[in-house]
PDB file of all heavy atoms in Angstrom:
ATOM      1  N   TYR A 194       7.119  -9.754 -17.677  1.00  0.00           N
ATOM      2  CA  TYR A 194       6.620  -9.490 -16.326  1.00  0.00           C
ATOM      3  C   TYR A 194       5.198  -8.970 -16.369  1.00  0.00           C
ATOM      4  O   TYR A 194       4.896  -8.037 -17.061  1.00  0.00           O
ATOM      5  CB  TYR A 194       7.373  -8.405 -15.548  1.00  0.00           C
ATOM      6  CG  TYR A 194       8.840  -8.423 -15.723  1.00  0.00           C
ATOM      7  CD1 TYR A 194       9.519  -7.303 -16.158  1.00  0.00           C
ATOM      8  CD2 TYR A 194       9.547  -9.572 -15.450  1.00  0.00           C
ATOM      9  CE1 TYR A 194      10.874  -7.339 -16.314  1.00  0.00           C
ATOM     10  CE2 TYR A 194      10.905  -9.586 -15.604  1.00  0.00           C
ATOM     11  CZ  TYR A 194      11.547  -8.477 -16.041  1.00  0.00           C
ATOM     12  OH  TYR A 194      12.873  -8.489 -16.192  1.00  0.00           O
ATOM     13  N   THR A 209     -12.229  22.380  19.825  1.00  0.00           N
ATOM     14  CA  THR A 209     -11.009  22.987  20.347  1.00  0.00           C
ATOM     15  C   THR A 209      -9.916  22.951  19.310  1.00  0.00           C
ATOM     16  O   THR A 209      -9.602  21.895  18.799  1.00  0.00           O
ATOM     17  CB  THR A 209     -10.515  22.236  21.602  1.00  0.00           C
ATOM     18  OG1 THR A 209     -11.602  22.145  22.507  1.00  0.00           O
ATOM     19  CG2 THR A 209      -9.351  22.962  22.234  1.00  0.00           C
ATOM     20  N   SER A 217      -2.375  35.264  17.009  1.00  0.00           N
ATOM     21  CA  SER A 217      -2.320  36.368  17.965  1.00  0.00           C
ATOM     22  C   SER A 217      -3.049  37.602  17.471  1.00  0.00           C
ATOM     23  O   SER A 217      -3.610  38.352  18.244  1.00  0.00           O
ATOM     24  CB  SER A 217      -0.850  36.700  18.273  1.00  0.00           C
ATOM     25  OG  SER A 217      -0.173  36.999  17.067  1.00  0.00           O
ATOM     26  N   LYS A 228      -9.043  32.292   3.263  1.00  0.00           N
ATOM     27  CA  LYS A 228     -10.213  31.678   2.638  1.00  0.00           C
ATOM     28  C   LYS A 228      -9.941  30.212   2.309  1.00  0.00           C
ATOM     29  O   LYS A 228     -10.787  29.338   2.545  1.00  0.00           O
ATOM     30  CB  LYS A 228     -10.587  32.440   1.367  1.00  0.00           C
ATOM     31  CG  LYS A 228     -11.194  33.820   1.619  1.00  0.00           C
ATOM     32  CD  LYS A 228     -11.591  34.477   0.311  1.00  0.00           C
ATOM     33  CE  LYS A 228     -12.250  35.838   0.560  1.00  0.00           C
ATOM     34  NZ  LYS A 228     -12.644  36.491  -0.718  1.00  0.00           N
ATOM     35  N   ARG A 230      -7.702  28.309   3.765  1.00  0.00           N
ATOM     36  CA  ARG A 230      -7.565  27.575   5.026  1.00  0.00           C
ATOM     37  C   ARG A 230      -8.937  27.273   5.628  1.00  0.00           C
ATOM     38  O   ARG A 230      -9.180  26.172   6.147  1.00  0.00           O
ATOM     39  CB  ARG A 230      -6.716  28.391   6.000  1.00  0.00           C
ATOM     40  CG  ARG A 230      -6.425  27.672   7.316  1.00  0.00           C
ATOM     41  CD  ARG A 230      -5.535  28.498   8.217  1.00  0.00           C
ATOM     42  NE  ARG A 230      -4.162  28.504   7.735  1.00  0.00           N
ATOM     43  CZ  ARG A 230      -3.542  29.578   7.269  1.00  0.00           C
ATOM     44  NH1 ARG A 230      -4.177  30.738   7.212  1.00  0.00           N
ATOM     45  NH2 ARG A 230      -2.294  29.514   6.871  1.00  0.00           N
ATOM     46  N   LEU A 236     -13.940  21.406   4.824  1.00  0.00           N
ATOM     47  CA  LEU A 236     -13.939  20.169   4.067  1.00  0.00           C
ATOM     48  C   LEU A 236     -13.497  18.994   4.934  1.00  0.00           C
ATOM     49  O   LEU A 236     -14.101  17.913   4.899  1.00  0.00           O
ATOM     50  CB  LEU A 236     -13.023  20.305   2.849  1.00  0.00           C
ATOM     51  CG  LEU A 236     -12.942  19.095   1.914  1.00  0.00           C
ATOM     52  CD1 LEU A 236     -14.311  18.783   1.325  1.00  0.00           C
ATOM     53  CD2 LEU A 236     -11.920  19.344   0.808  1.00  0.00           C
ATOM     54  N   LEU A 247     -17.944   4.489   8.786  1.00  0.00           N
ATOM     55  CA  LEU A 247     -16.954   3.610   8.187  1.00  0.00           C
ATOM     56  C   LEU A 247     -15.677   3.497   9.017  1.00  0.00           C
ATOM     57  O   LEU A 247     -14.953   2.493   8.910  1.00  0.00           O
ATOM     58  CB  LEU A 247     -16.603   4.126   6.785  1.00  0.00           C
ATOM     59  CG  LEU A 247     -15.735   3.244   5.882  1.00  0.00           C
ATOM     60  CD1 LEU A 247     -16.426   1.909   5.625  1.00  0.00           C
ATOM     61  CD2 LEU A 247     -15.427   3.955   4.578  1.00  0.00           C
ATOM     62  N   THR A 272      -2.925 -23.024  -8.711  1.00  0.00           N
ATOM     63  CA  THR A 272      -3.650 -23.385  -9.933  1.00  0.00           C
ATOM     64  C   THR A 272      -2.733 -23.522 -11.139  1.00  0.00           C
ATOM     65  O   THR A 272      -3.137 -24.117 -12.147  1.00  0.00           O
ATOM     66  CB  THR A 272      -4.736 -22.331 -10.224  1.00  0.00           C
ATOM     67  OG1 THR A 272      -4.131 -21.024 -10.320  1.00  0.00           O
ATOM     68  CG2 THR A 272      -5.785 -22.316  -9.118  1.00  0.00           C
ATOM     69  N   THR A 312      -6.337 -11.336  11.001  1.00  0.00           N
ATOM     70  CA  THR A 312      -6.879 -11.611  12.331  1.00  0.00           C
ATOM     71  C   THR A 312      -6.126 -10.879  13.440  1.00  0.00           C
ATOM     72  O   THR A 312      -6.464 -11.038  14.612  1.00  0.00           O
ATOM     73  CB  THR A 312      -6.843 -13.122  12.609  1.00  0.00           C
ATOM     74  OG1 THR A 312      -5.491 -13.597  12.503  1.00  0.00           O
ATOM     75  CG2 THR A 312      -7.723 -13.876  11.623  1.00  0.00           C
ATOM     76  N   MET A 361       1.743  -1.889  16.578  1.00  0.00           N
ATOM     77  CA  MET A 361       2.426  -1.250  17.697  1.00  0.00           C
ATOM     78  C   MET A 361       1.507  -0.274  18.405  1.00  0.00           C
ATOM     79  O   MET A 361       1.590  -0.088  19.616  1.00  0.00           O
ATOM     80  CB  MET A 361       3.677  -0.511  17.208  1.00  0.00           C
ATOM     81  CG  MET A 361       4.734  -1.426  16.637  1.00  0.00           C
ATOM     82  SD  MET A 361       6.182  -0.507  16.046  1.00  0.00           S
ATOM     83  CE  MET A 361       6.853   0.075  17.592  1.00  0.00           C
ATOM     84  N   PHE A 395       2.802   4.996  -7.259  1.00  0.00           N
ATOM     85  CA  PHE A 395       2.323   6.069  -8.125  1.00  0.00           C
ATOM     86  C   PHE A 395       3.452   6.586  -9.009  1.00  0.00           C
ATOM     87  O   PHE A 395       3.242   6.905 -10.181  1.00  0.00           O
ATOM     88  CB  PHE A 395       1.731   7.210  -7.290  1.00  0.00           C
ATOM     89  CG  PHE A 395       0.868   8.138  -8.087  1.00  0.00           C
ATOM     90  CD1 PHE A 395      -0.496   7.920  -8.182  1.00  0.00           C
ATOM     91  CD2 PHE A 395       1.416   9.220  -8.760  1.00  0.00           C
ATOM     92  CE1 PHE A 395      -1.302   8.765  -8.931  1.00  0.00           C
ATOM     93  CE2 PHE A 395       0.620  10.072  -9.499  1.00  0.00           C
ATOM     94  CZ  PHE A 395      -0.740   9.839  -9.590  1.00  0.00           C
ATOM     95  N   VAL A 414      -1.491  16.055 -10.258  1.00  0.00           N
ATOM     96  CA  VAL A 414      -2.374  16.035  -9.082  1.00  0.00           C
ATOM     97  C   VAL A 414      -1.975  14.909  -8.135  1.00  0.00           C
ATOM     98  O   VAL A 414      -1.865  15.088  -6.917  1.00  0.00           O
ATOM     99  CB  VAL A 414      -3.845  15.896  -9.504  1.00  0.00           C
ATOM    100  CG1 VAL A 414      -4.741  15.708  -8.287  1.00  0.00           C
ATOM    101  CG2 VAL A 414      -4.289  17.131 -10.293  1.00  0.00           C
ATOM    102  N   LEU A 416       0.972  13.309  -7.919  1.00  0.00           N
ATOM    103  CA  LEU A 416       2.292  13.517  -7.324  1.00  0.00           C
ATOM    104  C   LEU A 416       2.241  14.566  -6.220  1.00  0.00           C
ATOM    105  O   LEU A 416       2.973  14.477  -5.227  1.00  0.00           O
ATOM    106  CB  LEU A 416       3.299  13.919  -8.400  1.00  0.00           C
ATOM    107  CG  LEU A 416       3.731  12.803  -9.346  1.00  0.00           C
ATOM    108  CD1 LEU A 416       4.638  13.346 -10.453  1.00  0.00           C
ATOM    109  CD2 LEU A 416       4.469  11.702  -8.583  1.00  0.00           C
ATOM    110  N   PHE A 426       1.842  16.296   5.490  1.00  0.00           N
ATOM    111  CA  PHE A 426       1.048  17.524   5.513  1.00  0.00           C
ATOM    112  C   PHE A 426      -0.369  17.207   5.048  1.00  0.00           C
ATOM    113  O   PHE A 426      -0.568  16.745   3.934  1.00  0.00           O
ATOM    114  CB  PHE A 426       1.674  18.583   4.602  1.00  0.00           C
ATOM    115  CG  PHE A 426       0.848  19.839   4.482  1.00  0.00           C
ATOM    116  CD1 PHE A 426       0.676  20.669   5.587  1.00  0.00           C
ATOM    117  CD2 PHE A 426       0.244  20.180   3.288  1.00  0.00           C
ATOM    118  CE1 PHE A 426      -0.093  21.825   5.483  1.00  0.00           C
ATOM    119  CE2 PHE A 426      -0.519  21.329   3.179  1.00  0.00           C
ATOM    120  CZ  PHE A 426      -0.684  22.153   4.283  1.00  0.00           C
ATOM    121  N   LEU A 435      -5.763   9.963  -2.485  1.00  0.00           N
ATOM    122  CA  LEU A 435      -5.060   8.949  -3.261  1.00  0.00           C
ATOM    123  C   LEU A 435      -5.819   7.627  -3.292  1.00  0.00           C
ATOM    124  O   LEU A 435      -5.762   6.895  -4.285  1.00  0.00           O
ATOM    125  CB  LEU A 435      -3.652   8.741  -2.703  1.00  0.00           C
ATOM    126  CG  LEU A 435      -2.613   9.797  -3.061  1.00  0.00           C
ATOM    127  CD1 LEU A 435      -1.287   9.495  -2.367  1.00  0.00           C
ATOM    128  CD2 LEU A 435      -2.407   9.875  -4.572  1.00  0.00           C
ATOM    129  N   LEU A 445     -10.474   1.349 -13.957  1.00  0.00           N
ATOM    130  CA  LEU A 445     -10.542   1.763 -15.352  1.00  0.00           C
ATOM    131  C   LEU A 445      -9.397   1.235 -16.210  1.00  0.00           C
ATOM    132  O   LEU A 445      -9.580   0.924 -17.386  1.00  0.00           O
ATOM    133  CB  LEU A 445     -10.582   3.297 -15.436  1.00  0.00           C
ATOM    134  CG  LEU A 445     -11.811   3.977 -14.823  1.00  0.00           C
ATOM    135  CD1 LEU A 445     -11.670   5.492 -14.875  1.00  0.00           C
ATOM    136  CD2 LEU A 445     -13.090   3.533 -15.529  1.00  0.00           C
ATOM    137  N   GLN A 458      -2.072 -10.496 -21.750  1.00  0.00           N
ATOM    138  CA  GLN A 458      -2.152  -9.254 -20.999  1.00  0.00           C
ATOM    139  C   GLN A 458      -2.996  -9.397 -19.739  1.00  0.00           C
ATOM    140  O   GLN A 458      -2.853  -8.603 -18.801  1.00  0.00           O
ATOM    141  CB  GLN A 458      -2.734  -8.150 -21.893  1.00  0.00           C
ATOM    142  CG  GLN A 458      -2.642  -6.744 -21.323  1.00  0.00           C
ATOM    143  CD  GLN A 458      -1.205  -6.262 -21.190  1.00  0.00           C
ATOM    144  OE1 GLN A 458      -0.305  -6.793 -21.836  1.00  0.00           O
ATOM    145  NE2 GLN A 458      -0.985  -5.266 -20.347  1.00  0.00           N
ATOM    146  N   ASP A 465      -1.094  -6.111 -11.652  1.00  0.00           N
ATOM    147  CA  ASP A 465      -1.146  -4.687 -11.316  1.00  0.00           C
ATOM    148  C   ASP A 465      -2.363  -4.362 -10.463  1.00  0.00           C
ATOM    149  O   ASP A 465      -2.289  -3.540  -9.538  1.00  0.00           O
ATOM    150  CB  ASP A 465      -1.173  -3.842 -12.595  1.00  0.00           C
ATOM    151  CG  ASP A 465       0.145  -3.894 -13.349  1.00  0.00           C
ATOM    152  OD1 ASP A 465       1.152  -4.317 -12.746  1.00  0.00           O
ATOM    153  OD2 ASP A 465       0.160  -3.518 -14.541  1.00  0.00           O
TER     154      ASP A 465
END
Side-chain angles (χ1 to χ4, degrees):
Y194 320 124
T209 308
S217 57
K228 289 183 178 180
R230 184 178 286 113
L236 182 61
L247 189 60
T272 57
T312 58
M361 295 179 69
F395 197 92
V414 173
L416 287 175
F426 175 67
L435 283 177
L445 296 176
Q458 191 66 20
D465 291 344

